[in-house]
Amino acid sequence: MTTVESGKLVRTQGVTGPLGFRAAGIAAGIKASGNPDLALVFSEGPDYAAAGVFTRNQVKAAPVLWSQQVLSSGRLRAVILNSGGANACTGPGGFQDTHRTAEELATALSNWGTETGAGEIAVCSTGLIGDRLPMDKLIPAVTEIVHEMGGGLSGGLDAAYAIMTTDTVPKEAAFHHNDKWNVGGMAKGAGMLAPSLATMLVVLTTDARATPEQLDQALRNATRLTFDRLDVDGSCSTNDTVLLLANGASAVTPSQAELDAAVLAVCDDLATQLMADAEGITKRVLVTVTGALTEDEALIAARAVARDSLVKTALFGSDPNWGRVLAAVGIAPITLDPNRISVSFNGNSVCVDGVGAPGAREVDLSGMDIEVRIALNVGDGSATIRTTDLSHGYVEENSAYSS
Amino acid sequence: MTTVESGKLVRTQGVTGPLGFRAAGIAAGIKASGNPDLALVFSEGPDYAAAGVFTRNQVKAAPVLWSQQVLSSGRLRAVILNSGGANACTGPGGFQDTHRTAEELATALSNWGTETGAGEIAVCSTGLIGDRLPMDKLIPAVTEIVHEMGGGLSGGLDAAYAIMTTDTVPKEAAFHHNDKWNVGGMAKGAGMLAPSLATMLVVLTTDARATPEQLDQALRNATRLTFDRLDVDGSCSTNDTVLLLANGASAVTPSQAELDAAVLAVCDDLATQLMADAEGITKRVLVTVTGALTEDEALIAARAVARDSLVKTALFGSDPNWGRVLAAVGIAPITLDPNRISVSFNGNSVCVDGVGAPGAREVDLSGMDIEVRIALNVGDGSATIRTTDLSHGYVEENSAYSS
């Protein structure tokens, strides 16, 4: 539990941390393993404001196309998520499957007592690209999961379990504001814009009162600083989705700044959990670039280093090979002066003004956490990317696992 | 031996294939292993025309800065190359070491009977970034190697051996034109602009008569189509250098088109050899994009796929995971229509118009050679990138080997 001035952050609660949200996770039989693979997040209202951020990949999965369309209304009553299949590159038939899933859920929720339209339901999928979903299993499970919805915390945890693919642990976080309103969230995968394997999915909930525009601003601000700066392997999924639902159940209307801070706190914690559980990880790596001409250039440079296979393999080997860091920075399309670059590993100076520092080859990087700091000394821009090493485990998992 | 209309390509000869070039390779003691680590290529004239292409990395090694300066005259009499140290990120002292190496070689060549200035000598280095070269070992070796220079083919082979770092075999090729002039070359490393480990170095020689401008055109044309399209891991060295020396010893003046074709043939063959010997390789992969809006966009798309860690690990696992190819293409900043993309693996259709083809998951990729063809169907641009898989061997070599 992290206590800050305005409230407390906990990892024992997720999407059902805020008031007036129900959730569930069940095994629909999509995964061959029989593990849970279908999750539902449901808002009891009274408001149904929502915002979303989606993958920038031009190849977008059917559920992304559907949910983008639904979100144009700024309104969501429920999110249905499946693991075990991405429903990407599945053509018009795949889109019809997504549409039908939303329709079936709308009917089930209406029969259950809450009049709901398919246009109020977002759909998320994650798993192998290219195969149609087993609708014969999915459709009955959509009705079943409505009856499983719990209002307590276990519903949120069940949902967090059901969206896992290669994740080894569920990821939840909730922020309780001192003024009696809350933001909760769950996540799977390993990185927005640059996730490992198929997808990063995040659902955030809040019982604050907020307009779709306020939610959109809070969400874009938070993803820019958290999931956008988590880069495991530079790949970008067809299915990445981050949703934020607000139901106003707390009856509190926070300021934009308060809302921004709370959403950022939950996203930042979920991003930390995603990095810690990334595939094949043996090192948690922070790459910070300071003194760039602009924040954007700092980000480009940090991302170039975080994506460099030679830097990542050196870190896997606990090798303080700072020359590879300079070579990686040098190909970033930014303003720099090779003779003014300084680098430190975990606070130990390894390169000063473009030249090796005494003792640089002896820096001990055998621990799990490595901070790479690169000072360009040409301006005031700075940015940090969270990444991992490139290990045998990464190669093993991604060559042996088809997803 | 490859016979084409205009001549023959052989791999048994390198830089001393053309008339009037001498070369040598010796162990100067720079490498701890005691293996050969110093090479010399020397032109007997009568011409000394030359051109060069260098790394685009903003962090450039001292020998690159030196050789770029020397090449501004369009004239070279000799190239001295060392492995065992990149002399990059070594500050003003490192540049002085390069300058001194050229001065010492000029003196040694002059004493040997060929009046030579340091400004006629290019210097290349490859190995670990960040350490100063052991000048106490290098300087006496520079005089020694002048006396070792052979005019026969063994001199070229010795030189090709001495520039190796993680290469397992030396790389040589020579093209003998029917009109009695020749182009020869040697190479080390694994990729221009995107080499594995420290560096790609290539020295090309020809006994044709050509101006520096003609050589520059032939060289830029050839590197654009060969080394620039070899991409092992997306990294880019501080030391990459490709040099072409022409001494006119054949007294033949080929047309620009003939020169272009011969230089391209040698570069293409050396690029093939570099790919085949890339670190940790278990698959030789060609990624071809057709039907892009332009050749540039085809190249961007092919490079995006060739650099994608998830595609490369899937190929290591012989997994026909075409969804990862679509996800990789989808993040390339190019014009595309997701519903018109088709993909084949080794001629087997796996995706048609953005949707999986029947039998796609059963395509056998267990062989060493894999051709990935991606048809975008939006234009006429096409391009091919040569790459490799991402294997345990790659991780092992780059985490255990400090270079």
Side-chain angles (χ1 to χ4, degrees):
Chain A
M1 189 175 76
T2 308
T3 304
V4 291
E5 204 182 337
S6 58
K8 286 175 189 167
L9 186 84
V10 299
R11 285 186 176 173
T12 49
Q13 302 177 17
V15 290
T16 48
L19 302 172
F21 285 95
R22 290 171 180 254
I26 65 171
I30 307 167
K31 284 179 179 167
S33 64
N35 287 334
D37 48 22
L38 187 67
L40 175 64
V41 178
F42 173 73
S43 169
E44 296 178 328
D47 303 340
Y48 303 98
V53 172
F54 299 91
T55 181
R56 294 183 199 169
N57 201 309
Q58 293 192 71
V59 178
K60 294 185 199 326
V64 169
L65 297 172
W66 169 265
S67 298
Q68 281 185 316
Q69 198 174 307
V70 164
L71 255 293
S72 63
S73 69
R75 181 182 166 88
L76 275 186
R77 198 181 283 265
V79 185
I80 181 102
L81 312 93
N82 77 274
S83 52
N87 196 8
C89 304
T90 46
F95 189 82
Q96 284 163 18
D97 292 343
T98 292
H99 186 177
R100 188 173 159 213
T101 303
E103 290 284 2
E104 290 287 336
L105 180 60
T107 303
L109 286 170
S110 299
N111 291 341
W112 181 70
T114 302
E115 199 60 43
T116 306
E120 298 175 301
I121 294 170
V123 181
C124 301
S125 298
T126 175
L128 187 64
I129 296 173
D131 290 339
R132 294 282 292 274
L133 292 172
M135 296 304 286
D136 57 322
K137 293 173 179 161
L138 186 53
I139 291 302
V142 164
T143 299
E144 183 193 340
I145 199 169
V146 168
H147 298 284
E148 294 288 335
M149 278 196 301
L153 298 179
S154 65
L157 184 60
D158 287 349
Y161 265 110
I163 59 174
M164 287 165 55
T165 52
T166 55
D167 306 69
T168 66
V169 291
K171 286 100 179 172
E172 290 192 305
F175 182 80
H176 301 295
H177 196 279
N178 294 337
D179 292 342
K180 308 288 183 200
W181 60 278
N182 314 283
V183 176
M186 66 176 182
K188 66 80 50 179
M192 179 70 181
L193 302 187
S196 177
L197 280 177
T199 297
M200 185 191 69
L201 298 181
V202 179
V203 178
L204 303 162
T205 56
T206 178
D207 47 23
R209 288 180 133 158
T211 66
E213 293 70 29
Q214 288 172 318
L215 297 175
D216 189 69
Q217 180 177 324
L219 191 59
R220 286 182 191 281
N221 171 66
T223 55
R224 186 178 73 81
L225 294 172
T226 58
F227 304 122
D228 277 1
R229 298 188 180 188
L230 175 63
D231 194 321
V232 169
D233 56 13
S235 302
C236 178
S237 153
T238 51
N239 290 53
D240 291 333
T241 303
V242 184
L243 301 172
L244 171 57
L245 285 69
N247 65 7
S250 71
V252 179
T253 306
S255 69
Q256 183 73 48
E258 287 174 320
L259 184 66
D260 288 355
V263 173
L264 176 61
V266 172
C267 289
D268 189 61
D269 195 75
L270 290 172
T272 303
Q273 294 182 51
L274 289 169
M275 175 176 71
D277 195 30
E279 288 169 359
I281 184 173
T282 79
K283 305 284 187 183
R284 293 180 293 245
V285 182
L286 292 181
V287 178
T288 297
V289 171
T290 63
L293 210 57
T294 62
E295 181 183 351
D296 275 356
E297 292 212 344
L299 197 54
I300 290 166
R303 206 180 283 282
V305 173
R307 288 185 176 181
D308 189 88
S309 294
L310 293 174
V311 170
K312 290 164 88 84
T313 46
L315 296 179
F316 170 57
S318 302
D319 177 3
N321 195 330
W322 59 268
R324 292 183 179 179
V325 174
L326 261 75
V329 166
I331 49 170
I334 59 160
T335 301
L336 61 78
D337 176 347
N339 300 315
R340 296 177 72 179
I341 304 172
S342 295
V343 179
S344 70
F345 290 150
N346 286 349
N348 301 286
S349 177
V350 289
C351 171
V352 177
D353 293 340
V355 180
R361 304 267 179 236
E362 280 73 50
V363 171
D364 179 11
L365 298 181
S366 60
M368 189 161 180
D369 291 291
I370 299 178
E371 187 183 16
V372 178
R373 287 187 76 89
I374 302 152
L376 298 180
N377 293 312
V378 294
D380 294 323
S382 66
T384 298
I385 291 281
R386 290 177 168 109
T387 189
T388 62
D389 54 338
L390 174 53
S391 69
H392 285 302
Y394 178 88
V395 172
E396 187 64 23
E397 189 147 9
N398 286 301
S399 56
Y401 171 87
S402 196
S403 180
Chain B
M1 191 173 76
T2 309
T3 303
V4 292
E5 202 181 339
S6 58
K8 288 174 188 167
L9 187 84
V10 299
R11 285 187 176 173
T12 49
Q13 302 177 17
V15 289
T16 48
L19 302 172
F21 286 96
R22 292 171 179 253
I26 65 171
I30 307 168
K31 284 179 179 167
S33 64
N35 287 336
D37 48 21
L38 188 67
L40 176 64
V41 179
F42 173 73
S43 170
E44 295 177 327
D47 302 340
Y48 303 98
V53 171
F54 299 92
T55 181
R56 294 183 197 167
N57 201 309
Q58 293 191 71
V59 177
K60 294 185 200 326
V64 169
L65 296 172
W66 169 265
S67 297
Q68 281 185 315
Q69 198 174 306
V70 164
L71 255 294
S72 64
S73 69
R75 181 183 167 86
L76 275 186
R77 197 182 283 265
V79 184
I80 181 102
L81 313 91
N82 76 274
S83 53
N87 196 7
C89 304
T90 46
F95 189 82
Q96 284 163 17
D97 292 343
T98 292
H99 186 177
R100 189 174 158 211
T101 303
E103 289 283 3
E104 290 286 337
L105 179 61
T107 301
L109 286 170
S110 299
N111 290 341
W112 182 68
T114 302
E115 198 60 40
T116 306
E120 299 174 300
I121 295 170
V123 181
C124 301
S125 299
T126 176
L128 188 64
I129 296 173
D131 290 339
R132 294 282 294 275
L133 292 172
M135 295 305 286
D136 56 323
K137 293 172 179 161
L138 187 53
I139 291 302
V142 165
T143 299
E144 182 192 338
I145 199 169
V146 169
H147 297 284
E148 294 288 334
M149 278 196 303
L153 297 178
S154 66
L157 185 59
D158 288 348
Y161 266 109
I163 60 174
M164 288 164 56
T165 52
T166 55
D167 306 70
T168 65
V169 291
K171 286 100 179 171
E172 290 192 306
F175 182 81
H176 301 294
H177 196 279
N178 294 336
D179 292 343
K180 308 290 183 196
W181 60 279
N182 314 283
V183 176
M186 65 177 183
K188 65 82 49 178
M192 179 69 181
L193 301 187
S196 177
L197 281 177
T199 295
M200 186 191 70
L201 298 181
V202 178
V203 179
L204 303 162
T205 56
T206 179
D207 47 24
R209 287 181 135 160
T211 65
E213 293 71 28
Q214 289 172 317
L215 297 175
D216 189 69
Q217 182 178 323
L219 191 60
R220 286 182 192 281
N221 173 66
T223 55
R224 186 179 73 82
L225 295 172
T226 57
F227 305 121
D228 276 3
R229 297 187 181 189
L230 175 63
D231 193 320
V232 170
D233 58 12
S235 300
C236 178
S237 152
T238 50
N239 291 53
D240 291 334
T241 302
V242 185
L243 301 172
L244 171 57
L245 286 67
N247 65 8
S250 70
V252 178
T253 306
S255 70
Q256 183 73 49
E258 289 174 318
L259 185 66
D260 287 356
V263 173
L264 176 60
V266 172
C267 289
D268 190 59
D269 195 76
L270 289 173
T272 303
Q273 295 183 50
L274 289 170
M275 176 175 70
D277 194 30
E279 291 169 357
I281 184 173
T282 79
K283 305 283 189 186
R284 293 179 292 245
V285 182
L286 292 181
V287 179
T288 296
V289 171
T290 63
L293 210 58
T294 62
E295 182 184 351
D296 275 356
E297 293 211 345
L299 197 55
I300 289 167
R303 206 180 282 282
V305 173
R307 288 186 176 180
D308 189 88
S309 294
L310 293 174
V311 170
K312 291 164 87 84
T313 46
L315 296 179
F316 169 58
S318 302
D319 176 5
N321 194 330
W322 59 270
R324 291 182 180 179
V325 173
L326 261 76
V329 166
I331 49 170
I334 60 162
T335 300
L336 60 79
D337 177 349
N339 300 316
R340 298 178 71 181
I341 304 173
S342 294
V343 179
S344 70
F345 290 151
N346 287 347
N348 302 286
S349 176
V350 290
C351 170
V352 177
D353 293 339
V355 180
R361 305 266 179 238
E362 281 72 51
V363 171
D364 179 10
L365 298 181
S366 60
M368 188 161 182
D369 290 291
I370 299 178
E371 187 183 16
V372 179
R373 287 187 76 89
I374 303 151
L376 298 181
N377 294 312
V378 295
D380 294 323
S382 66
T384 298
I385 290 280
R386 290 178 167 108
T387 190
T388 62
D389 55 338
L390 174 52
S391 68
H392 285 303
Y394 178 88
V395 172
E396 187 63 24
E397 188 147 10
N398 286 299
S399 56
Y401 171 87
S402 196
S403 180

